[in-house]
């Protein structure tokens, strides 16, 4: 206690100071006597009291609220490696029941710290920020390792109180005396601010509700003649426009206002009403009032000759009233709103009061993600694959598709794929006899499966559950489905086909608010025919060449001529293959015995182009062996072939191109039946177009 002297020897102000001092000491002692702390300990890990009675039972993501969210934040704050924030909302002792971007970032750190238990079993290498089954299991294991017990109250010796100083509030803070004594630690003489200007980025920002530390204004300047100490920054806000009935008071919109010097946060204030002052700076800024927030005691040093960038950032409330969405704000720093001190103690301001740095930004509603499913028909076309009568064939690609989350990230949880199939006689195929071990890949990394086929005849499907795959904002992710083709049998005869399809309704996707959303689009696979003895055909190139043009070089010519060429390779998979050396146009009288069938296409007078002149050659530049009018390809070997079609123009100008339609082959020369390979996608197996003119 402090002895109190005679009242006659003291002024009223001194007595008031001592009374306030005693009152502060009494309050402190009362607080100590009535305070106990409650914690839970497990080894060296402390479990916060707010987790008493909590068990994590549900998935948590951005937008989640509840006592379990507050417990989650408190648990994360126990470890410096996973702490949400050092100060402000979400920091130790200031946990909230709202799951926002800061909580998500801390969850990512937690998942990566315990990657072997959370991420690795799921095939992930980076945290997602989504609290799913694996993360819930780890959190509950921490909670279940101890029970909440009260600790014995401890008492701290009463510190020597500081001399009483009346608080500075309101506008007194802005009228503080500007001492001119020489600053210690600054080099140079009288200083100045040069190159003061507003930065072009950020500009006209859209700041969503819940956004944290979103920069909305930036200014740059240079310290000249002296090191400069940044002491004070005054920032003005004024509503420019908004919906009818929307508020113009900034504390109705913002949680915090922050200052950054470059990438370093140097100050932050809660945006409650007490930290704003209404002002009229003399400028006509519209029909709405101006509000200022003042930051003092900054003490940031900008060395002489250095250029600095100062930013204003806002944290928007996560529950904006709908009428406050799409409100446009002016934010500015007047030239005299930033005060520095130079090495000789003089106050320094920007050079001209007319160089106010002014920017606009808009507060918007939380943007929800939309997800689109798509595919490339050229990739998922009809095709032939090699099977086996005695063994299964692993990792056969059956479907390739793309998912894209627009406007925000989303989470893919479950995926169902429908499967159909037919036998050569057109009876329904029992898919469970044909396919097994279905897997989902992304970037050659397995993300789901292997899963088994479910369903009954004519209605088969496979489902990947609990994928928990993050779909980043505005980024296309390509996925591949691979299966094991079972051995061919009576139930799965050679020549059967299987087909895989995904509809947008077959996906369970959550948007960034944790809501289940409908996915637009589909992914349709081609008919995949399975043969024990088969060929594999690959497209190489296609080209056109004008071989005869109307002009001086052919004064007598009646029409232009062109050559249309398609080059491809054929591989014999399980047996020697024989391909007839003949070629015919699809409209010919008989094409059932020829090796190559093509189709001549034209924008006009297609029939007359054929009449005007059409000649085709089927050749092997790699010099495949020839036997009895057939090209021979030995088992396991690959040969290159070209189809060249020569055509002449018809009675008028026409654009002409050639499409490959069919390739026929047989296993033995003695076979009377030719097999058809007709899995040619017309968008790929074609030449470019060539315009052929006539005189």
């Amino acid at each position: 206690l402090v002895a109190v002297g005679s009242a006659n020897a003291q002024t009223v102000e001194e007595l008031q100071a001592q009374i306030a001092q005693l009152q502060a000491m009494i309050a402190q002692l009362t607080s100590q006597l009535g305070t106990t702390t409650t914690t839970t300990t497990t080894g060296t890990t402390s479990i916060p009291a707010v987790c008493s009675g909590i068990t994590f039972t549900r998935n948590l993501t951005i937008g989640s609220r509840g006592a379990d969210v507050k417990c989650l934040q408190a648990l994360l704050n126990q470890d410096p490696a996973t702490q949400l924030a050092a100060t402000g909302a979400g920091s130790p002792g200031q946990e909230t029941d709202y799951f926002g971007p800061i909580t998500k970032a801390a969850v990512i750190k937690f998942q990566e710290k315990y990657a072997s238990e959370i991420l690795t079993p799921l095939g992930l290498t980076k945290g997602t920020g989504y609290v799913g089954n694996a993360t819930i299991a780890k959190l509950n294991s921490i909670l279940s390792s101890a029970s909440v017990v009260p600790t014995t109250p401890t008492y701290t010796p009463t510190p020597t109180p500081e001399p009483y100083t009346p608080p500075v509030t309101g506008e007194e803070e802005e009228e503080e005396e500007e001492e001119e004594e020489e600053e210690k630690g600054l080099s140079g003489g009288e200083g100045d601010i040069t190159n003061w200007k507003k930065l072009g980025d950020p500009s006209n920002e859209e700041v969503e509700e819940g956004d944290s530390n979103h920069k909305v204004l930036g200014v740059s300047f240079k310290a000249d003649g002296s090191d400069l100490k940044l002491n004070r920054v005054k920032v003005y806000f004024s509503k420019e426009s908004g919906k009818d009935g929307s508020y113009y008071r900034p504390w109705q919109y913002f949680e915090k206002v922050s200052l950054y010097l470059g990438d370093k946060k140097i100050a932050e204030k809660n945006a409650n009403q007490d930290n704003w002052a209404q002002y009229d700076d003399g400028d006509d800024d519209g029909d709405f009032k101006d509000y200022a927030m003042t930051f003092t005691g900054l003490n940031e040093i900008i060395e002489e000759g250095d250029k600095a960038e100062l930013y204003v950032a806002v944290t928007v409330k996560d529950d904006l009233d709908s009428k406050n969405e799409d409100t446009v704000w002016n934010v500015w720093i007047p030239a005299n709103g930033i005060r520095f001190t130079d090495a000789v103690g003089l106050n320094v301001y920007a050079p001209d009061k007319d160089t106010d740095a002014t920017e606009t930004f808009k507060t918007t509603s939380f943007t929800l993600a939309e997800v689109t499913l798509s595919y490339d028909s050229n990739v998922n076309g009809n095709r032939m694959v090699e099977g086996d009568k005695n063994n299964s064939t692993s990792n056969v690609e059956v479907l390739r598709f793309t998912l894209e989350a627009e406007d925000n990230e989303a989470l893919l949880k479950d995926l169902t794929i429908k499967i159909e199939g037919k036998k050569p006689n057109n009876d329904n195929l029992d898919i469970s006899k044909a396919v097994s071990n279905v897997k989902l890949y992304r970037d050659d990394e397995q993300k789901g499966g292997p899963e088994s086929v479910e369903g009954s005849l004519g209605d088969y499907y496979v489902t990947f559950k609990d994928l928990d795959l993050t779909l980043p904002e505005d980024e296309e992710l390509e996925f591949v489905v691979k299966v094991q083709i079972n051995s061919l049998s009576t139930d799965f005869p050679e020549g059967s086909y299987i087909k895989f399809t995904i509809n947008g309704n077959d996906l369970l996707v959550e948007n960034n608010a944790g809501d289940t959303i409908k996915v637009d689009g589909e992914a349709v696979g081609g008919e995949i025919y399975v043969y024990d003895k088969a060929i594999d055909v690959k497209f190489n190139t296609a080209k056109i060449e004008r071989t005869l043009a109307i002009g001086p070089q052919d004064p007598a010519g009646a029409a232009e001529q062109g050559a249309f060429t398609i080059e491809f390779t054929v591989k014999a998979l399980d047996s020697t293959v024989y391909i007839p050396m003949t070629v015919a146009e699809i409209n010919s009288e008989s094409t059932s015995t020829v090796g190559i069938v093509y189709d001549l296409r034209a924008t006009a007078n297609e029939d007359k182009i054929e009449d005007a002149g059409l000649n085709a050659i089927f050749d092997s530049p790699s010099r495949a062996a020839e036997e009895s009018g057939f090209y021979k390809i030995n088992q396991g070997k690959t040969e290159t072939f070209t189809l060249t079609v020569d055509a002449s123009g018809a009675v008028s100008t026409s654009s002409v191109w050639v499409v490959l339609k069919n390739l026929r082959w047989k296993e033995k020369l003695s076979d009377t039946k030719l097999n058809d390979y007709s899995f040619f996608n017309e968008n790929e197996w074609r030449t470019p177009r060539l315009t052929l003119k006539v005189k």
Side-chain angles (χ1 to χ4, degrees):
L1 298 177
V2 178
V4 180
S6 171
N8 294 332
Q10 294 178 297
T11 66
V12 174
E13 288 79 6
E14 290 172 335
L15 286 172
Q16 289 176 335
Q18 290 183 354
I19 291 169
Q21 195 174 52
L22 289 169
Q23 289 174 334
M25 292 171 59
I26 292 168
Q28 184 179 34
L29 289 170
T30 301
S31 174
Q32 290 178 345
L33 289 171
T35 301
T36 62
T37 60
T38 303
T39 61
T40 298
T41 59
T42 170
T44 59
T45 304
S46 176
I47 306 302
V50 295
C51 292
S52 176
I54 296 292
T55 299
F56 293 97
T57 59
R58 61 173 180 145
N59 297 335
L60 300 175
T61 187
I62 287 181
S64 299
R65 286 186 179 275
D68 51 351
V69 174
K70 191 169 186 178
C71 173
L72 170 65
Q73 293 181 357
L75 281 177
L76 295 172
N77 280 337
Q78 294 298 102
D79 187 346
T82 61
Q83 185 174 308
L84 272 73
T87 60
S91 62
Q94 297 191 53
E95 290 85 3
T96 71
D97 66 353
Y98 177 73
F99 193 121
I102 297 178
T103 307
K104 177 181 176 180
V107 170
I108 290 174
K109 297 176 185 176
F110 178 82
Q111 292 169 330
E112 293 178 349
K113 178 175 180 178
Y114 297 103
S116 62
E117 298 175 64
I118 299 174
L119 302 179
T120 304
L122 299 174
L124 301 175
T125 57
K126 295 183 179 180
T128 64
Y130 178 84
V131 179
N133 293 338
T135 308
I136 287 173
K138 180 60 182 176
L139 291 168
N140 284 332
S141 73
I142 295 174
L143 288 177
S144 64
S145 60
S147 59
V148 177
V149 295
T151 62
T152 302
T154 58
Y155 302 95
T156 305
T158 303
T160 302
E162 296 290 333
Y164 172 75
T165 303
V168 178
T169 59
E171 297 189 18
E172 293 179 15
E173 177 185 54
E174 300 170 36
E175 298 298 330
E176 60 191 359
E177 294 184 2
E178 300 173 351
E179 299 180 3
E180 296 186 357
E181 61 186 51
E182 182 173 351
E183 289 289 334
K184 300 295 189 292
L186 298 182
S187 300
E190 292 188 10
D192 196 5
I193 291 293
T194 60
N195 299 335
W196 165 273
K197 63 179 180 180
K198 182 189 75 171
L199 295 172
D201 183 21
S203 178
N204 295 317
E205 295 290 301
E206 288 195 0
V207 189
E208 295 181 355
E209 58 179 327
D211 270 7
S212 179
N213 295 313
H214 193 129
K215 294 178 180 178
V216 293
L217 171 65
V219 294
S220 65
F221 50 85
K222 182 179 179 182
D224 188 31
S226 170
D227 293 347
L228 296 177
K229 183 174 76 171
L230 176 61
N231 295 320
R232 184 200 70 184
V233 176
K234 183 182 292 187
V235 184
Y236 287 86
F237 286 77
S238 177
K239 172 184 166 183
E240 181 172 290
S241 63
K243 297 178 181 177
D244 290 342
S246 61
Y247 292 108
Y248 58 84
R249 302 175 182 88
W251 55 87
Q252 301 283 357
Y253 295 78
F254 309 117
E255 291 282 356
K256 298 176 184 178
V257 179
S258 308
L259 293 182
Y260 284 79
L261 197 59
D263 293 327
K264 175 187 175 185
K265 183 188 288 188
I266 61 173
E268 184 172 79
K269 273 192 173 185
N270 288 326
N272 52 49
Q273 185 174 355
D274 293 339
N275 283 331
W276 296 93
Q278 182 179 332
Y279 282 96
D280 181 1
D281 63 354
D283 291 336
D284 182 9
D285 298 309
D287 298 329
F288 302 102
K289 298 177 181 178
D290 301 337
Y291 289 90
M293 181 175 285
T294 303
F295 298 85
T296 58
L298 301 175
N299 296 321
E300 296 293 327
I301 307 299
I302 296 93
E303 295 184 357
E304 180 183 6
D306 282 357
K307 179 181 177 181
E309 294 180 347
L310 180 74
Y311 296 92
V312 178
V314 295
T315 296
V316 182
K317 290 178 179 288
D318 56 26
D319 55 352
L320 281 183
D321 192 298
S322 59
K323 65 185 178 183
N324 291 338
E325 298 168 359
D326 298 326
T327 297
V328 178
W329 289 88
N330 291 313
V331 55
W332 70 98
I333 301 174
N336 60 1
I338 301 184
R339 190 182 70 223
F340 303 85
T341 306
D342 63 16
V344 298
L346 297 177
N347 291 324
V348 179
Y349 300 89
D352 188 340
K353 72 176 293 292
D354 294 328
T355 58
D356 294 355
T358 304
E359 189 54 80
T360 61
F361 69 95
K362 179 191 291 187
T363 53
T364 65
S365 60
F366 190 56
T367 302
L368 299 178
E370 296 181 359
V371 177
T372 302
L373 167 67
S374 61
Y375 72 104
D376 185 346
S377 60
N378 292 328
V379 175
N380 289 339
N382 298 344
R383 60 191 183 279
M384 179 186 293
V385 299
E386 176 186 4
D388 194 289
K389 292 182 178 179
N390 301 311
N391 302 293
S392 60
T393 306
S394 300
N395 295 321
V396 177
E397 180 179 323
V398 293
L399 182 65
R400 190 175 288 257
F401 63 94
T402 298
L403 287 173
E404 181 178 12
E406 299 177 348
D407 298 327
N408 217 315
E409 67 177 25
L411 188 72
L412 172 63
K413 297 187 66 66
D414 298 344
L415 168 66
T416 299
I417 304 174
K418 297 177 181 177
I419 315 172
E420 62 181 86
K422 296 284 187 181
K423 297 179 181 179
N425 63 3
N426 210 37
D427 287 346
N428 286 329
L429 178 68
D430 185 346
I431 302 298
S432 64
K433 298 289 196 318
V435 170
S436 58
N437 292 337
V438 186
K439 302 175 185 177
L440 180 68
Y441 288 83
R442 188 185 74 197
D443 297 332
D444 297 325
E445 183 178 353
Q446 185 175 333
K447 296 297 184 180
E451 300 291 346
S452 300
V453 173
E454 301 178 64
S456 57
L457 203 62
D459 184 20
Y460 293 95
Y461 61 92
V462 63
T463 300
F464 299 98
K465 289 185 175 296
D466 300 323
L467 292 170
D468 289 345
L469 296 176
T470 298
L471 306 177
E473 178 183 358
D474 298 332
E475 180 180 344
E476 288 189 350
L477 295 183
E478 187 174 68
F479 294 85
V480 175
V481 180
K482 295 183 180 181
V483 303
Q484 175 179 295
I485 301 291
N486 296 333
S487 56
L488 296 168
S489 63
T490 302
D491 293 324
F492 180 27
E494 183 178 21
S496 301
Y497 80 80
I498 51 177
K499 181 176 181 178
F500 291 70
T501 303
I502 305 174
N503 187 275
N505 296 324
D506 301 328
L507 286 81
L508 177 58
V509 175
E510 292 182 355
N511 62 17
N512 45 305
D515 301 322
T516 300
I517 60 174
K518 181 182 182 299
V519 176
D520 293 327
E522 63 179 358
V524 180
E527 295 174 357
I528 300 173
Y529 292 82
V530 184
Y531 284 87
D532 179 48
K533 307 296 183 183
I535 60 175
D536 185 28
V537 184
K538 300 290 186 184
F539 177 85
N540 287 347
T541 61
K543 63 181 181 178
I544 54 176
E545 180 183 4
R546 191 182 307 279
T547 56
L548 181 62
I550 298 174
Q553 70 275 28
D554 182 37
E560 293 183 330
Q561 298 176 12
F564 302 80
T565 302
I566 299 176
E567 181 184 280
F568 56 94
T569 58
V570 180
K571 181 178 181 180
L573 296 178
D574 279 344
S575 67
T576 298
V577 168
Y578 293 90
I579 302 174
M581 300 171 62
T582 52
V583 59
E585 212 268 337
I586 196 169
N587 295 325
S588 301
E589 292 183 3
S590 176
T591 60
S592 60
T593 60
V594 300
I596 291 291
V597 179
Y598 68 92
D599 189 12
L600 178 80
R601 302 284 180 84
T603 55
N605 301 308
E606 181 176 317
D607 294 339
K608 292 183 174 166
I609 290 176
E610 296 171 1
D611 295 339
L614 192 63
N615 182 46
I617 300 173
F618 176 36
D619 194 12
S620 172
S622 60
R623 307 318 319 155
E626 300 176 12
E627 189 171 337
S628 303
F630 290 82
Y631 288 116
K632 178 182 178 181
I633 309 175
N634 291 323
Q635 179 180 350
K637 298 297 183 180
T638 300
E639 298 291 349
T640 301
F641 296 93
T642 58
L643 166 68
T644 302
V645 178
D646 296 314
S648 299
V651 296
S652 63
T653 299
S654 181
S655 184
V656 182
W657 68 100
V658 169
V659 177
L660 189 60
K661 298 295 291 183
N662 202 347
L663 186 153
R664 292 194 174 88
W665 60 282
K666 58 184 178 179
E667 184 181 347
K668 300 176 182 177
L669 282 175
S670 58
D671 291 343
T672 58
K673 180 180 179 299
L674 288 169
N675 299 304
D676 289 312
Y677 187 101
S678 56
F679 315 114
F680 298 113
N681 187 306
E682 292 192 3
N683 292 325
E684 179 183 8
W685 289 84
R686 50 161 290 173
T687 67
R689 297 188 180 196
L690 179 64
T691 299
L692 297 178
K693 300 178 181 179
V694 297
K695 281 189 174 181

